[in-house]
Amino acid sequence: MKIAVFVSGRGSNLSALLNYPDLINLIEIVAVVSDKIDCKAFEIAREFGINTFTMGEENGKISQNDITSILKKLEVDFVVLAGYLKLIPNELIEKFENKIVNIHPALLPSFGGKGMYGSYVHRAVFNSSAKVSGATVHMVDKTYDTGKIIAQKCVDISDVKNPEEIAERVLKIEHQLLPEVVKAFAENRVKIESERIIIIN
Ligand code: GAR
């Protein structure tokens, strides 16, 4: 399965995908796309010899239309949003129906939506006094964090002292959950049954 990974920053989930032993013979990451001209995730991509592209309408960036053509040319089958913070253009969503997933650092449908990313999510979870948090991988649709949930993992946060501790525990879970879900897609074990998405083991 040929994959494009969309990123906006650090790239630890990209790294988790690249280093997950079970994925080595199953997937090939052929493009890393960002809204940023440069970011830490691009450095990781370059170390692995993966092409990087910056998408946007501003000068020096590649337009959404051209990115869609590039992904087509690279024969991309599947798109993973790993810390990508912008909305995905409708054109891309239509071209990759049920083939774009996002990882979110909380248990959706709580603590999602516009502006809910990274540390903002963990602060909101901390301030709510919730006792569990976790990670969610969901299908991407035209709005933030509303697509159907594919998989979730929880973590106990009843004893945390600050949002940073939540972030640390959740990130560990993300690095397991995202590769497991991508593996399930690559092995064709993700089924959409009426209203629900299930992973067959
Ligand atoms: C991850 O925690 C990811 O879940 C989050 O951004 C971080 C990116 O880290 N995504 C969102 O908040 C999306 N709403 P990474 O660049 O190290 O993978």
Side-chain angles (χ1 to χ4, degrees), residues 7-15 41 81-85 102-106 111-113 115-119 121-122 135-136 138 144-145 167 170-171 174-175 178:
V7 294
S8 291
R10 176 179 54 184
S12 71
N13 278 289
L14 168 66
S15 192
L81 311 189
Y84 183 71
L85 303 179
N102 176 47
I103 182 139
H104 184 76
F111 305 110
M116 272 296 191
Y117 60 87
S119 60
V121 178
H122 302 303
T136 303
H138 64 93
Y144 285 106
D145 304 326
V170 169
L171 194 64
E174 292 184 45
H175 295 164
L178 186 61

Side-chain angles (χ1 to χ4, degrees), residues 7-11 13 19 43-44 52 66 71 75 97 99 103 121 125-126 134 138 140 143 149-150 173 177 200:
V7 294
S8 291
R10 176 179 54 184
N13 278 289
N19 291 299
E43 286 173 28
I44 298 169
T52 58
D66 288 348
L71 298 191
E75 299 177 326
E97 203 193 350
K99 286 183 176 145
I103 182 139
V121 178
V125 172
F126 183 78
H138 64 93
V140 171
T143 50
I149 292 169
I150 302 160
I173 285 185
L177 185 67
I200 298 160

Side-chain angles (χ1 to χ4, degrees), residues 1 68 74 78 89 116 133 156 187 196:
M1 185 165 79
T68 309
L74 291 170
F78 195 75
M116 272 296 191
S133 190
D156 184 350
E187 293 175 339
R196 292 184 68 81

Side-chain angles (χ1 to χ4, degrees), residues 7-171:
V7 294
S8 291
R10 176 179 54 184
S12 71
N13 278 289
L14 168 66
S15 192
L17 290 173
L18 287 164
N19 291 299
Y20 193 72
D22 285 7
L23 286 178
I24 288 167
N25 295 320
L26 272 179
I27 65 159
E28 188 189 354
I29 297 175
V30 293
V32 171
V33 179
S34 182
D35 52 315
K36 303 274 172 6
I37 296 285
D38 208 359
C39 58
K40 187 88 204 318
F42 272 3
E43 286 173 28
I44 298 169
R46 284 187 214 111
E47 274 169 31
F48 280 78
I50 302 167
N51 286 319
T52 58
F53 304 94
T54 299
M55 178 167 78
E57 301 310 317
E58 303 91 343
N59 259 352
K61 297 189 176 178
I62 303 170
S63 73
Q64 300 172 353
N65 276 351
D66 288 348
I67 288 284
T68 309
S69 313
I70 289 170
L71 298 191
K72 241 176 130 188
K73 211 179 269 171
L74 291 170
E75 299 177 326
V76 168
D77 309 297
F78 195 75
V79 175
V80 177
L81 311 189
Y84 183 71
L85 303 179
K86 289 266 168 74
L87 268 185
I88 289 293
N90 287 347
E91 192 192 327
L92 217 60
I93 291 176
E94 281 151 20
K95 287 250 155 61
F96 288 89
E97 203 193 350
N98 289 333
K99 286 183 176 145
I100 309 180
V101 301
N102 176 47
I103 182 139
H104 184 76
L107 297 172
L108 292 174
S110 295
F111 305 110
K114 192 167 166 33
M116 272 296 191
Y117 60 87
S119 60
Y120 295 103
V121 178
H122 302 303
R123 176 152 297 282
V125 172
F126 183 78
N127 289 343
S128 77
S129 192
K131 303 299 181 252
V132 289
S133 190
T136 303
V137 178
H138 64 93
M139 291 291 188
V140 171
D141 62 14
K142 291 177 183 173
T143 50
Y144 285 106
D145 304 326
T146 53
K148 290 219 185 271
I149 292 169
I150 302 160
Q152 293 181 301
K153 258 190 181 132
C154 312
V155 64
D156 184 350
I157 54 161
S158 53
D159 61 339
V160 295
K161 303 281 181 291
N162 51 55
E164 291 73 30
E165 272 185 61
I166 302 178
E168 199 178 307
R169 288 185 198 182
V170 169
L171 194 64

